[in-house]
Amino acid sequence: MKIGLVDTTFARVDMASFARKEIEAEWPQVKMISKTVPGVKDLPVECKKLLEEEGCDIVMAFGMPGKEPIDKQCAHEASIGIIQAQLLTNRHIIEVFVHEDEGKNDADLLKVCKNRAVKHARNAIELILNPKALMARAATGVRQGREDVGRIR
Amino acid sequence: MKIGLVDTTFARVDMASFARKEIEAEWPQVKMISKTVPGVKDLPVECKKLLEEEGCDIVMAFGMPGKEPIDKQCAHEASIGIIQAQLLTNRHIIEVFVHEDEGKNDADLLKVCKNRAVKHARNAIELILNPKALMARAATGVRQGREDVGRIR
Amino acid sequence: MKIGLVDTTFARVDMASFARKEIEAEWPQVKMISKTVPGVKDLPVECKKLLEEEGCDIVMAFGMPGKEPIDKQCAHEASIGIIQAQLLTNRHIIEVFVHEDEGKNDADLLKVCKNRAVKHARNAIELILNPKALMARAATGVRQGREDVGRIR
Amino acid sequence: MKIGLVDTTFARVDMASFARKEIEAEWPQVKMISKTVPGVKDLPVECKKLLEEEGCDIVMAFGMPGKEPIDKQCAHEASIGIIQAQLLTNRHIIEVFVHEDEGKNDADLLKVCKNRAVKHARNAIELILNPKALMARAATGVRQGREDVGRIR
Amino acid sequence: MKIGLVDTTFARVDMASFARKEIEAEWPQVKMISKTVPGVKDLPVECKKLLEEEGCDIVMAFGMPGKEPIDKQCAHEASIGIIQAQLLTNRHIIEVFVHEDEGKNDADLLKVCKNRAVKHARNAIELILNPKALMARAATGVRQGREDVGRIR
């Protein structure tokens, strides 16, 4: 299995490293390829290239949109593009975006970033190697970045 | 006939199970295949894969967007992707989304989820096996999740 | 000439019937094929199937979005999909949407629905059989659902 | 060179005529083909058909969205479709939209319409026959509909 | 290596020139081709043509949306199109948009434009010739138009 990791120079937290460490530790047999683009709107095509030109089975797209309305709009445009890239390749791209205003302070933001990057790294690997692990967690209120919220009964 | 059911680990109510039970009870001859992805934005490509790679005639996509504006935006992006996936495959994907703030409380939310999942399971099966049943209900104010509202005369 | 008519079980007024009657009365030689889907987001692919699999020259898509913001968003997503379906087929799909809050009351809403369905049925037929009739009305402030507003001079 | 002109019955000012007169007067050798559709959402596919089925080198799409929020949304959907149509054909479609609330009064609105239609007719012709003329005006604050605003130095 | 530069007549600052000078000075071996279109919504297809018909390895798209809500919407539509153009070509298009209201005054706006154009010119060249340079700046809070904001630790 081969996974692509694409991040941006714009982001202020190195989320891809959290994911790389998790994958190295838990799935040492998985091959990784990393790329960096300027901002979130450059992610869709870079992810598609990794799937089509580098033979990745799945890609993680890391981004950290800023606090301004224009940043939110860029993230929205990037998300639409990331979904389109998946539809054109029939492969998954796991979007790992943390908005800069999600954290109460820098320490909290770092915590959100690490939690989300690590949990989504597991999701990405399991989607390819062990989809039954995801099915076992179906509809259980899983959250990436914060604590799970659980199922409503 | 073969139907795909895709849900998320993010959701807090197991809507796919409601649909599976309905289909098993009413259309035991229909084959089912189930998948789970992390969140609603991962649904479009998974549905497309079920249609193209697993030979499904139709797919149901279950999601439960959260209460925050960012959750609403994710649902919007997922919906656009689900429609695109249909246009690229010429097959239907029935979107079964329940927003977490649709219910007055947990019990009510569960009721909305069950009602919507079961009614849309019937819609999905009828679209393939009995389209005339849908035509008989044309423009009659059918609702999934709540009571039908009826035709205006 | 063959025209497709797709409506929804969600709608509360039977707009497709208004269109069918108009076409039967005025263009009896035109073949019609009708389909019903659950809601407006199911319209794009059904219209595309009628164009590609049933040989329709044009399709009318009837929908009645509800009053809530989520309904408006669904209509927006459906409209984007309907335009995409046209671009993928090089055929027209005439969108006939009436928002449930367009009418002052039920009687007025019915009137809007009938007016819009009938006028757009004529538009659809003329786009195929008599495009010069549309050109003769170019830029004259034509409205479907209400009275025409006329040209500004 | 062949140019397509598509307008709507919905519009209240005959912008296509302004463009036709300008082209006839200044570029008599340019062939023109005209079409009319009901509203702005019908423009994208008609433009694409002119490019693909009628051999146009470029198309102008004239529309006049109304004053209501729903009209603005229709224009937005049409614009997305017009951009998609260009990407699918590798040809330009010059969108010439004037919102009905752009004018202070009817006389002013007419003036905006004429100015925008004529200037964009020149843009469309120059994109095909004389792209250097556009390059000479690069980043000079050109406006269609109102006076140019000039370069910031 | 060959880079395309597309700008608009609408913009009020000549950003493409800033980029051209930077590239000429630092990477004299890189071939450049320039185009001008009327406005930002004309950028997506022109960029795609440069990639597909002129053999560019990458394209920069320069635009300066105005201050009004309609200008913001045009920029949003253009951005969606620019992302789609990348997905259809598997090549990068670096969007260099400066909103007219980003500057406190004309002098500040000019400074933002120059900073963004020059930094993105470097990004574009490095994406093709030296992707490791971008990887070295991954997640370091790089900004184009203003000072970098740095990594959160």
Side-chain angles (χ1 to χ4, degrees), chain A residues 84 88, chain B residues 84 87-88, chain C residues 48 80 83-90, chain D residues 44-45 47-49 51-53 80-93, chain E residues 44-46 48-49 52-53 81 84-85 87-89:
Chain A
Q84 285 182 316
L88 292 171
Chain B
Q84 285 182 317
L87 294 177
L88 292 171
Chain C
K48 183 159 177 275
I80 289 173
I83 290 172
Q84 285 182 316
Q86 294 173 76
L87 294 177
L88 292 171
T89 57
N90 274 13
Chain D
V45 75
C47 294
K48 184 159 177 274
K49 284 163 67 74
L51 292 169
E52 292 188 334
E53 300 172 2
I80 290 172
I82 286 171
I83 291 172
Q84 285 182 317
Q86 294 174 75
L87 294 177
L88 293 170
T89 57
N90 274 13
R91 304 267 172 92
H92 280 283
I93 299 167
Chain E
V45 75
E46 191 66 36
K48 184 159 176 275
K49 283 163 68 73
E52 292 187 334
E53 301 173 2
Q84 285 182 316
L87 294 176
L88 293 171
T89 57

Side-chain angles (χ1 to χ4, degrees), chain D residues 120-140:
Chain D
H120 267 318
R122 291 178 205 152
N123 283 335
I125 301 291
E126 288 178 348
L127 266 170
I128 304 302
L129 295 183
N130 187 17
K132 286 186 181 172
L134 280 157
M135 294 181 73
R137 297 198 297 276
T140 57

Side-chain angles (χ1 to χ4, degrees), chain D residues 11-29:
Chain D
R12 305 187 62 192
V13 175
D14 187 6
M15 288 186 279
S17 286
F18 297 132
R20 264 191 295 268
K21 276 174 209 157
E22 176 72 12
I23 296 169
E24 275 166 4
E26 301 295 325
W27 294 273
Q29 80 280 21

Side-chain angles (χ1 to χ4, degrees), chain E:
Chain E
M1 184 199 156
K2 189 175 180 181
I3 187 168
L5 297 97
V6 189
D7 62 1
T8 67
T9 63
F10 188 95
R12 305 187 62 192
V13 176
D14 187 6
M15 288 185 280
S17 286
F18 297 133
R20 264 191 295 268
K21 277 173 208 158
E22 176 71 12
I23 296 169
E24 275 166 4
E26 301 295 325
W27 294 274
Q29 80 279 21
V30 170
K31 281 177 207 138
M32 289 190 272
I33 177 169
S34 296
K35 298 280 180 182
T36 300
V37 296
V40 289
K41 292 203 274 192
D42 306 304
L43 288 169
V45 75
E46 191 66 36
C47 294
K48 184 159 176 275
K49 283 163 68 73
L50 282 176
L51 292 168
E52 292 187 334
E53 301 173 2
E54 303 288 343
C56 287
D57 299 290
I58 193 165
V59 172
M60 301 180 72
F62 300 93
M64 185 180 276
K67 302 168 180 178
E68 304 302 319
I70 184 69
D71 297 314
K72 305 292 184 189
Q73 185 172 292
C74 287
H76 174 51
E77 291 154 1
S79 294
I80 290 174
I82 286 171
I83 292 172
Q84 285 182 316
Q86 293 174 76
L87 294 176
L88 293 171
T89 57
N90 273 14
R91 304 267 172 92
H92 280 282
I93 300 168
I94 301 296
E95 184 192 293
V96 190
F97 282 8
V98 175
H99 290 253
E100 211 183 316
D101 51 10
E102 272 190 69
K104 292 165 213 152
N105 50 48
D106 281 4
D108 187 54
L109 187 65
L110 269 169
K111 213 171 127 186
V112 170
C113 285
K114 186 172 182 181
N115 186 295
R116 189 165 295 159
V118 168
K119 285 188 184 170
H120 267 318
R122 290 179 206 152
N123 283 335
I125 301 290
E126 288 178 349
L127 266 169
I128 303 302
L129 294 183
N130 188 17
K132 284 185 181 173
L134 280 157
M135 294 181 72
R137 297 198 296 276
T140 57
V142 172
R143 292 294 178 270
Q144 293 83 27
R146 301 282 184 194
E147 290 295 297
D148 294 349
V149 293
R151 184 176 285 185
I152 294 170
R153 287 175 198 278

